[in-house]
Amino acid sequence: MSQLLIEGGYPLCGVIDVQGAKNSVLPILSAALMSDGECSVLNFPEITDTYVAIDILRALGAKVVKQQDCITINAKNADGYEIPYGLMRKMRSSIMFLGSILAKNKKAVISLPGGCELGQRPIDIHLAALRKMGVNIEENHGFLECSHSGLKGCEISLSFPSVGATENIMLAAVKADGVTDIYNAAREPEIEDLARFLVKMGARIKGAGTDHISIEGVPSLSGCTHRVIPDRIVAGTYLCAVAATRGNALLKNICPLHIYAVTSLLKEAGCDIKIYDDAVSIECDKLKSVPLVRTMPYPGFPTDEQAPFMALMSIASGNTLFIETIFENRFKHVGELLRMGAKITTEGRVSLVEGVKKLHSATVQATDLRGGAGLAVAALAAEGSTVISSVEHIYRGYENFEYNISELGGKIKKI
Ligand code: UD1
């Protein structure tokens, strides 16, 4: 396991280009499996999760070629229907391939994704929807064996606007017989991006980005070229890092609307934020706490930004109450922030952060992807040199992390 050594206290200043969105690329790679032609995906982020997705495509029989930031997938002869256990364990989002495998084949076999560092993370909403579409699903010794004799369009009302379930249903529905209506659908920008990609392939989809998505099945899907949207979570993390170090930076290649929930709280915290067409600048001299951060489905404050923002609020003047409404166990970074001198008390899904003047260095461990990014934000602002272990978590979602931080003047190296 690698470690990062971060010497804190250097303001992050300069310009940074934000990578393509992990949470867009993953379902889009899954969608490419259904194409009868060749799909090219631009703005592909080089992170470990997207390489796991490529391994899954190859395991299913697709040809995948990467040239710079473009991935080309030819899945015409990809008739595999089983995701190897090892790949499923490496990345929970592999569940995203279930809908497209079932749209292409009469059966699919995957291992149950199991719980993860954020909590139990059941997939009951995915499975109930697929069953309604005519899929027979049996659970056998930790594996899901799925089969059907033709997917049928239907009305599906989600008990929670699950991002993954909405995407899996969209994938299963694009070639199903008839119309599928998803009510209480997730509205995340990544859902709209997946819909844009599918429509370029010839799918008929209305309402993506709203809570009612309607999909009319088509017999076949062609190839297409698509540029994925910028990663709003990565953008938000860098904004928190710049603010925490009292820096001054311009983030390019982003969609400001997608990070509005974060930039509006950063403004409330005293940062000077300027919004451009596809860029945001931030300058921070003084930082004050915001009273409440409540994670919510989009367009609310993203759960994925909770840890980086908590690291920031731990050195702001005043108190902040964090309420985590999406995942039941997403405060694992709190214990590590305490080691750095933060003052935080947690009970269940609520954490109270009392801002301190300075954090100090410590040896800490990244417990999950965004929690690890939060620790990096804290370490960049802290006094002294912090060692973060298990940084593989960070590499799951952040492309060229050390390079980007170094370019902005941060002192960071892999050890
Ligand atoms: C996606 C994102 C992740 C983000 C999350 C919430 C990807 C690859 N990942 O994850 O970064 O943190 O959205 O914005 O896009 N749930 C159920 N049953 C289900 C499905 C979900 O109870 O069948 C629960 C989950 O346990 C969780 C909540 O619903 O508590 C949200 O999950 P969901 O929106 O499905 O998140 P993911 O798609 O897994």
Side-chain angles (χ1 to χ4, degrees):
M1 285 293 218
S2 339
Q3 299 178 321
L4 281 177
L5 176 68
I6 297 178
E7 193 188 333
Y10 294 88
L12 297 186
C13 298
V15 180
I16 193 164
D17 252 315
V18 175
Q19 68 191 59
K22 167 175 94 71
N23 291 353
S24 265
V25 171
L26 296 177
I28 281 174
L29 290 181
S30 170
L33 186 67
M34 300 186 291
S35 168
D36 294 330
E38 210 165 70
C39 295
S40 294
V41 181
L42 302 163
N43 205 19
F44 177 86
E46 298 219 16
I47 47 180
T48 44
D49 269 15
T50 50
Y51 280 106
V52 175
I54 289 178
D55 287 344
I56 290 175
L57 282 170
R58 288 191 173 133
L60 295 171
K63 290 201 175 97
V64 185
V65 178
K66 184 176 172 307
Q67 268 187 319
Q68 284 141 4
D69 78 339
C70 175
I71 282 280
T72 303
I73 304 115
N74 188 328
K76 203 165 185 273
N77 300 316
D79 47 15
Y81 58 84
E82 188 166 352
I83 301 181
Y85 171 80
L87 293 175
M88 200 68 209
R89 295 303 299 191
K90 265 192 193 162
M91 185 178 69
R92 208 188 168 284
S93 317
S94 308
I95 185 70
M96 207 62 65
F97 280 84
L98 187 55
S100 58
I101 295 176
L102 286 170
K104 203 170 158 113
N105 298 277
K106 297 269 181 255
K107 58 181 177 177
V109 179
I110 63 164
S111 70
L112 276 162
C116 78
E117 49 289 320
L118 308 184
Q120 272 192 348
R121 295 185 84 172
I123 51 165
D124 54 319
I125 303 174
H126 300 239
L127 300 187
L130 291 171
R131 282 192 171 109
K132 208 164 175 201
M133 295 180 77
V135 183
N136 176 49
I137 303 174
E138 282 175 25
E139 292 186 26
N140 259 335
H141 303 286
F143 282 85
L144 283 178
E145 295 174 1
C146 311
S147 59
H148 66 88
S149 53
L151 295 170
K152 293 186 292 286
C154 61
E155 286 192 357
I156 298 167
S157 184
L158 302 183
S159 54
F160 178 86
S162 155
V163 176
T166 303
E167 291 166 345
N168 246 336
I169 300 165
M170 288 166 75
L171 293 165
V174 281
K175 286 174 75 182
D177 186 19
V179 176
T180 302
D181 281 294
I182 313 173
Y183 296 100
N184 197 24
R187 293 181 289 158
E188 269 65 6
E190 293 78 15
I191 302 275
E192 281 187 82
D193 207 26
L194 172 63
R196 275 192 291 270
F197 181 76
L198 289 166
V199 166
K200 283 183 188 172
M201 290 168 81
R204 295 204 182 127
I205 303 176
K206 281 192 213 144
T210 75
D211 61 3
H212 173 200
I213 304 176
S214 186
I215 303 147
E216 189 188 338
V218 295
S220 63
L221 295 167
S222 60
C224 71
T225 298
H226 182 74
R227 184 177 178 83
V228 295
I229 55 170
D231 197 310
R232 64 195 168 97
I233 306 301
V234 168
T237 306
Y238 285 127
L239 289 175
C240 289
V242 173
T245 59
R246 309 292 194 271
N248 175 353
L250 178 73
L251 270 68
K252 291 197 320 190
N253 182 30
I254 64 174
C255 180
L257 186 64
H258 294 168
I259 55 169
Y260 182 76
V262 178
T263 48
S264 60
L265 280 192
L266 286 168
K267 273 187 194 169
E268 205 181 318
C271 300
D272 182 15
I273 302 270
K274 289 197 178 66
I275 310 278
Y276 304 96
D277 283 350
D278 61 354
V280 165
S281 72
I282 177 166
E283 187 169 359
C284 180
D285 295 328
K286 271 200 183 133
L287 199 60
K288 60 177 192 286
S289 297
V290 300
L292 178 67
V293 178
R294 184 198 297 268
T295 63
M296 294 288 279
Y298 188 84
F301 189 89
T303 173
D304 287 355
E305 219 69 86
Q306 180 250 106
F309 205 82
M310 184 181 284
L312 180 65
M313 288 298 101
S314 70
I315 48 166
S317 63
N319 297 345
T320 306
L321 193 68
F322 282 81
I323 305 179
E324 173 55 61
T325 75
I326 309 293
F327 290 104
E328 74 263 26
N329 193 8
R330 205 166 198 179
F331 284 137
K332 286 208 170 145
H333 47 279
V334 168
E336 306 302 301
L337 289 173
L338 293 179
R339 296 164 66 84
M340 301 180 71
K343 270 183 87 177
I344 307 170
T345 39
T346 297
E347 201 174 313
R349 290 175 177 238
V350 178
S351 278
L352 177 68
V353 179
E354 295 170 64
V356 294
K357 277 216 162 72
K358 276 261 168 219
L359 294 175
H360 54 72
S361 61
T363 298
V364 293
Q365 184 174 15
T367 50
D368 59 273
L369 164 58
R370 307 300 171 189
L375 294 179
V377 169
L380 286 162
E383 250 166 19
S385 297
T386 294
V387 175
I388 307 179
S389 62
S390 301
V391 289
E392 280 69 19
H393 285 299
I394 297 178
Y395 300 142
R396 281 187 43 216
Y398 293 83
E399 183 180 64
N400 298 329
F401 189 65
E402 294 97 279
Y403 175 83
N404 285 334
I405 296 291
S406 302
E407 282 289 289
L408 293 173
K411 304 283 176 231
I412 183 169
K413 71 174 177 198
K414 199 169 170 178
I415 49 173

